[in-house]
Amino acid sequence: MQIEVVKSKIHRVKVTGADLQYIGSVTIDEDLMDAANIIQGEKVQIVNINNGERLETYAIPGPRKSGEITLNGPAARKVAKGDIVIIISYGIMNFETAKSFKPTLIFPNENDNSLT
């Protein structure tokens, strides 16, 4: 049996922008992506703490050390600049492997999205 489990989580980061006219995705500071073990193009779920919205999109890297978290395209309608979100990615694995799998969880500074 294969099951889907949390692979990576960026817990509580501040949305820095919402660009309705961009083609789609979420732009994430590449340092945050690396720390959370999320790669370019990976499917992610965005959970908005402020309004309860949940959506799926894919990750694209933003400038390092920028703290950027920008929801692009239609996802921009689900957030406002300054909202706090959780970004989650999932992996599919064998049930027995999943029992001992440990996800990568990071907890950036909520004020500026830095890792320090």
Side-chain angles (χ1 to χ4, degrees):
M1 175 188 334
Q2 299 284 305
I3 64 169
E4 191 170 19
V5 298
V6 173
K7 179 188 83 62
S8 305
K9 181 165 90 165
I10 302 173
H11 190 75
R12 295 185 65 94
V13 286
K14 187 181 294 186
V15 173
T16 60
D19 185 356
L20 186 60
Q21 300 309 314
Y22 193 83
I23 194 167
S25 70
V26 58
T27 304
I28 304 170
D29 177 322
E30 195 166 3
D31 286 339
L32 295 175
M33 288 178 63
D34 288 349
N37 197 27
I38 294 173
I39 62 169
Q40 181 173 345
E42 185 171 350
K43 180 179 171 181
V44 294
Q45 181 180 47
I46 309 294
V47 181
N48 189 328
I49 299 296
N50 294 76
N51 64 18
E53 290 284 353
R54 298 173 81 92
L55 62 104
E56 292 179 341
T57 188
Y58 60 94
I60 61 172
R64 290 186 183 278
K65 310 241 181 300
S66 66
E68 181 175 0
I69 302 291
T70 301
L71 278 292
N72 302 307
R77 295 210 182 268
K78 305 286 187 176
V79 300
K81 185 176 178 178
D83 282 357
I84 301 299
V85 298
I86 299 170
I87 302 171
I88 309 164
S89 71
Y90 300 88
I92 298 172
M93 61 188 69
N94 174 281
F95 182 78
E96 290 303 316
T97 302
K99 286 181 180 180
S100 61
F101 177 77
K102 301 292 184 228
T104 302
L105 310 174
I106 65 167
F107 301 87
N109 180 319
E110 196 173 303
N111 295 316
D112 63 5
N113 298 339
S114 67
L115 291 168
T116 56

